[in-house]
Amino acid sequence: PILTPENSVVKGYIYDNTTGAPVSNAYIQVSSAGYTNYTWSNASGYYTVKTIAGHIQLDVSRDGYFSNSTEFDIAYGESRTSDMLIEQIPPLSTICGYVSCNNTRLSGATVVVSDHDRFEKSTLTDSTGYFELETVPGHLWLDVLPSVYMHSSAEFEVKSGQRVTLNVELDAFPQSTYQIDYPSETTLTR
């Protein structure tokens, strides 16, 4: 008889890390040195997947959850139990408001919201100077570009699912200079 390289098994349960409830329809993938196999968790969160022996990476993902992974060595013919926790992605928050300078609303200004780590999202103000974007909850910074303005940054906290209005009033730097390029032969009038 020919020996199959997929003679090891990884099995276990996928749980929600907050509630402890089993998570169904989670995608489970094992991989090692170019080898990959996958399965999904059943209604009770249980999964079983065959794999080759060696150093294995086990990845778990599901819509609405952050993915999670672990690594371990598994021997030929071994049956290993690996229960995994995954964390729900909290509901997004909304940041909105107006950007203005000297009480004049600015259209086309770039508004950037970030956590100075993994999250960054930007949008442009509309013709009325209004902006709105969805963001992750947490401790965030809002910056308005271009940075020819003073006070173009704000630091704030936003809770999951919360809608926050931030109206940003900018001041132009007193010594700001701008370069304007015109096509050749353009007539300039005072």
Side-chain angles (χ1 to χ4, degrees), residues 12-29:
Y13 289 89
I14 310 300
Y15 296 108
D16 183 297
N17 80 324
T18 304
T19 65
V23 177
S24 63
N25 294 324
Y27 176 77
I28 296 98
Q29 177 178 296

Side-chain angles (χ1 to χ4, degrees), residues 93-154:
S93 305
T94 302
I95 309 297
C96 63
Y98 289 93
V99 175
S100 53
C101 180
N102 299 327
N103 296 317
T104 301
R105 293 194 173 155
L106 299 175
S107 65
T110 301
V111 177
V112 180
V113 174
S114 83
D115 65 0
H116 288 182
D117 185 21
R118 296 185 308 175
F119 176 80
E120 181 175 299
K121 193 168 183 182
S122 64
T123 189
L124 294 175
T125 56
D126 67 12
S127 60
T128 67
Y130 181 77
F131 70 92
E132 181 171 320
L133 54 84
E134 287 188 325
T135 179
V136 295
H139 190 88
L140 302 171
W141 287 263
L142 179 143
D143 294 290
V144 178
L145 304 175
S147 53
V148 296
Y149 302 102
M150 295 188 302
H151 312 295
S152 62
S153 185

Side-chain angles (χ1 to χ4, degrees), residues 22 27 38 42 74 80 91 109 128-129 144 146 160 175 184:
Y27 176 77
Y38 62 91
N42 67 16
I74 190 166
R80 164 154 316 191
T128 67
V144 178
S160 181
Q175 305 302 321
S184 65

Side-chain angles (χ1 to χ4, degrees), residues 165-179:
T165 300
L166 275 173
N167 292 319
V168 182
E169 178 65 35
L170 305 172
D171 294 323
F173 279 118
Q175 305 302 321
S176 291
T177 59
Y178 302 91
Q179 176 178 334

